[in-house]
Amino acid sequence: MTAQSQKHGSFNKPRSQQLPSSIVAKEFGEVNVWNTGQELQIVFTILMEPQGAVAEGWKTGVALDASASMKSSYGRRLEGKVPPDVMEDYEKKGWVESRVEDGNRVKSFQKAGYEDAIKQGYFKPTTNIVQPLARNFMAYLASNLDADGGTTVIYWACGKGTEIEFLGDFTETQCHTLDVSGPASVCLGTITRLMPAVKYFVDRFVNAKRGMYIFITDGRIDDLDDVKKYTVQLAKEIAFGKRNYVKCVLIGIGDGIDAHQLEELDDLDTGSNVDIWDYKIASEMQGLVQIFAEVVDENQIVAPTGIIYDSDGNAVKKYTDGLPAKVSVSLPSTCQWFELEVYGQKIRQTVIFPQG
């Protein structure tokens, strides 16, 4: 999480940066780097599904952004070009009409026009990039985490941006063939409000011991401030034992992701040690297990021993009584990478951020 130092229990450290998922070793969850000027302070997690007691009592859900900006992502927009001579023929037949919108003259296809353009191959639907991704997340949660062996699916940001369409509760088998092409009973939303979707899961599964909720979106959120305020309150209630644990993960898709907004939620200082939001860019994910990057039991021992080396080959930290799932280590400021030696193998991790 491009985390503020507060998220790791210290209020005096400089701001950290999270390495992009695409350059994180597959064995690690998240790798955060603080450059203090004198040294690099690293915090990383060992990537794994929840184990033991932490694996019990989960309810899960997948929420699909159904705002208008997602139209192409659902395969509901047509792309292509009609040749000029064919367009002239369409106009003569009344299949294309010319009108003025916002001071500009535009051409509008009638039903017969775009149906013929599709038939002739001039137009084709955009690729539905949501469906395969959503199916994978749904099936994974249903089979690997959910206490009841199913996961709940909704569309959010429908209609005026606040409406939700309940798609259903699905088993792993059902998820693999589920049609995910956008809402059927309401239109795509005019604005994108995340709050109703968050509250839907939190309120519906209020009695669940733990909740994991995935929000697939292009990252354009219109009620970000409201979501932040709600998150801070929710985190405090969890910290004081008034609510059970909730983890929300934003998954950014498409070419126009507003990563800044996703980062704002991920970086949110809740005033407690409860970290509710994480985010991933779908195209950078190396595996679905990465949604658990921040679901870490810091006291869990994942290996009997471990050694960390800097890029000069020096052993900078040794774990002789057990390697924890969350590791902190200081490295020289000139260090390019570190290696974790565990179970007879060395896992190398760069600490250099990609340019651009």
Side-chain angles (χ1 to χ4, degrees):
M1 55 187 162
T2 315
Q4 296 286 354
S5 56
Q6 290 91 326
K7 298 181 80 170
H8 295 285
S10 170
F11 289 82
N12 299 312
K13 292 180 181 179
R15 180 180 175 87
S16 72
Q17 288 183 291
Q18 177 190 319
L19 292 178
S21 300
S22 57
I23 63 170
V24 172
K26 68 180 186 301
E27 295 85 357
F28 297 154
E30 291 190 345
V31 180
N32 291 277
V33 181
W34 288 262
N35 188 337
T36 68
Q38 287 76 43
E39 64 181 6
L40 298 179
Q41 296 180 0
I42 312 296
V43 174
F44 67 92
T45 57
I46 309 298
L47 186 61
M48 63 177 66
E49 294 177 357
Q51 305 290 316
V54 182
E56 299 173 357
W58 289 90
K59 287 304 298 176
T60 64
V62 176
L64 307 167
D65 186 347
S67 58
S69 61
M70 294 284 291
K71 186 173 183 178
S72 293
S73 298
Y74 283 113
R76 294 172 66 162
R77 191 183 299 279
L78 296 175
E79 58 184 3
K81 187 176 181 180
V82 176
D85 58 325
V86 177
M87 180 68 79
E88 185 177 340
D89 183 51
Y90 283 0
E91 290 177 348
K92 290 178 180 177
K93 293 179 177 179
W95 291 358
V96 174
E97 295 181 352
S98 181
R99 66 174 187 268
V100 176
E101 285 186 1
D102 297 328
N104 299 313
R105 184 163 295 279
V106 297
K107 292 182 179 181
S108 173
F109 278 78
Q110 304 303 303
K111 184 179 181 180
Y114 69 73
E115 286 182 346
D116 187 75
I118 293 172
K119 182 179 179 181
Q120 300 301 327
Y122 303 132
F123 285 160
K124 64 177 182 179
T126 52
T127 301
N128 184 343
I129 64 173
V130 178
Q131 180 165 279
L133 184 70
R135 285 176 173 176
N136 286 340
F137 277 114
M138 294 171 199
Y140 184 81
L141 292 175
S143 63
N144 291 16
L145 191 64
D146 197 278
D148 298 323
T151 196
T152 300
V153 184
I154 63 171
Y155 289 110
W156 58 281
C158 306
K160 295 181 180 179
T162 58
E163 297 177 50
I164 287 174
E165 181 178 278
F166 173 69
L167 195 55
D169 299 312
F170 302 101
T171 64
E172 177 192 6
T173 302
Q174 292 172 320
C175 291
H176 287 303
T177 57
L178 187 65
D179 176 47
V180 183
S181 55
S185 63
V186 288
C187 62
L188 296 173
T190 54
I191 56 176
T192 309
R193 296 197 179 277
L194 178 59
M195 267 277 282
V198 179
K199 293 189 70 174
Y200 175 88
F201 287 129
V202 171
D203 293 345
R204 177 177 172 182
F205 300 120
V206 66
N207 294 320
K209 185 181 294 186
R210 299 175 180 87
M212 166 71 79
Y213 309 118
I214 306 296
F215 301 82
I216 297 178
T217 179
D218 58 8
R220 303 169 192 175
I221 301 167
D222 292 310
D223 60 346
L224 189 63
D225 289 340
D226 290 338
V227 175
K228 287 181 178 180
K229 292 175 184 176
Y230 177 77
T231 299
V232 170
Q233 182 60 37
L234 180 61
K236 289 179 178 178
E237 291 178 5
I238 294 172
F240 284 107
K242 296 179 179 180
R243 278 186 181 266
N244 291 330
Y245 178 75
V246 171
K247 190 64 186 180
C248 298
V249 184
L250 290 157
I251 305 295
I253 65 168
D255 298 326
I257 301 169
D258 188 343
H260 177 70
Q261 286 196 320
L262 305 185
E263 289 171 1
E264 279 195 63
L265 278 179
D266 190 10
D267 288 352
L268 183 63
D269 175 18
T270 63
S272 71
N273 63 353
V274 177
D275 180 14
I276 290 179
W277 287 100
D278 188 14
Y279 91 94
K280 303 293 177 190
I281 303 300
S283 61
E284 295 179 356
M285 293 182 68
Q286 301 181 56
L288 297 182
V289 71
Q290 287 188 317
I291 62 174
F292 299 119
E294 292 186 355
V295 183
V296 173
D297 180 354
E298 298 183 22
N299 299 315
Q300 182 177 353
I301 299 301
V302 298
T305 61
I307 304 176
I308 299 176
Y309 299 90
D310 65 19
S311 54
D312 289 328
N314 302 308
V316 293
K317 197 164 188 176
K318 295 182 179 181
Y319 291 90
T320 57
D321 297 321
L323 176 69
K326 187 173 184 178
V327 179
S328 300
V329 63
S330 296
L331 302 172
S333 60
T334 56
C335 194
Q336 302 289 302
W337 45 262
F338 68 86
E339 285 183 331
L340 171 64
E341 184 176 10
V342 62
Y343 288 121
Q345 67 170 324
K346 286 186 176 181
I347 304 166
R348 180 173 294 192
Q349 175 60 58
T350 181
V351 293
I352 304 299
F353 286 84
Q355 297 298 314

